[in-house]
Amino acid sequence: FIRLISEQTVHVNAGRLRTFPGGYDYYLQKTHAETARAGLTGGAKAVTHNPAKSAPVSKGDQRTRKRAEAEARNAKSRNRRGIKNEVQRLEKEIQKAEAQITKLTVDLEDPETYENPNRAMTINRDLTQAQTTLDNLTPEWEKAAAKLEAM
């Protein structure tokens, strides 16, 4: 069937297109001569093209194709939205940790804090914990932000 209707063939290989002006038999003859030289290029595809005699596409096929395309777009959008939400959540947690660090640092600088030695130790312990939290959140945020940017 392809041999009867094709007027030109397009060979797709490694992202490059090569047009053969003759029919499918012409394509086979030309590529057969090249096969010995390009023996390791498996996976090459040939696409025949006949603009005057293209087969009609049924409405059911169009609907199915459009539905699949829409589902793919929606899945990509959901994935992007999920990553964006993760980035925003991490940003909020980082801001919270930074605010806590600032507050605890101010408390440690206050001379009244040292009137009660237990209070100074508690603040210092909380400050260390907040810094550790910030140190753990920052690489997570960087990874999520890079993933979002790549999308």
Side-chain angles (χ1 to χ4, degrees), residues 8 13-14 20 22 45 52 63 74 77 85 101 111 120 123 141:
Q8 76 180 37
N13 186 11
F20 292 86
K45 300 176 184 177
R63 285 187 193 128
N74 288 339
S77 178
N85 289 341
I101 289 170
I123 292 173
W141 174 83

Side-chain angles (χ1 to χ4, degrees), residues 7-13 16-23 26-27 30-31 34 47-49:
E7 294 176 358
Q8 76 180 37
T9 303
V10 178
H11 179 90
V12 181
N13 186 11
R16 292 194 171 156
L17 301 175
R18 182 172 171 199
T19 304
F20 292 86
Y26 178 78
Y27 163 76
K30 287 296 185 179
T31 57
E34 296 173 2
V47 178
T48 60
H49 176 66

Side-chain angles (χ1 to χ4, degrees), residues 63-76:
R63 285 187 193 128
T64 302
R65 181 181 49 81
K66 286 185 179 182
R67 185 175 296 123
E69 289 172 355
E71 287 174 4
R73 280 192 309 270
N74 288 339
K76 185 176 180 181

Side-chain angles (χ1 to χ4, degrees), residues 94-109:
I94 287 171
Q95 288 175 348
K96 183 179 170 184
E98 288 174 340
Q100 186 178 11
I101 289 170
T102 301
K103 180 192 175 302
L104 292 170
T105 302
V106 168
D107 288 347
L108 280 177
E109 292 172 351

Side-chain angles (χ1 to χ4, degrees), residues 70-83 150-151:
E71 287 174 4
R73 280 192 309 270
N74 288 339
K76 185 176 180 181
S77 178
R78 279 191 303 273
N79 189 22
R80 181 176 173 77
R81 190 171 30 250
I83 294 171
M151 296 182 90

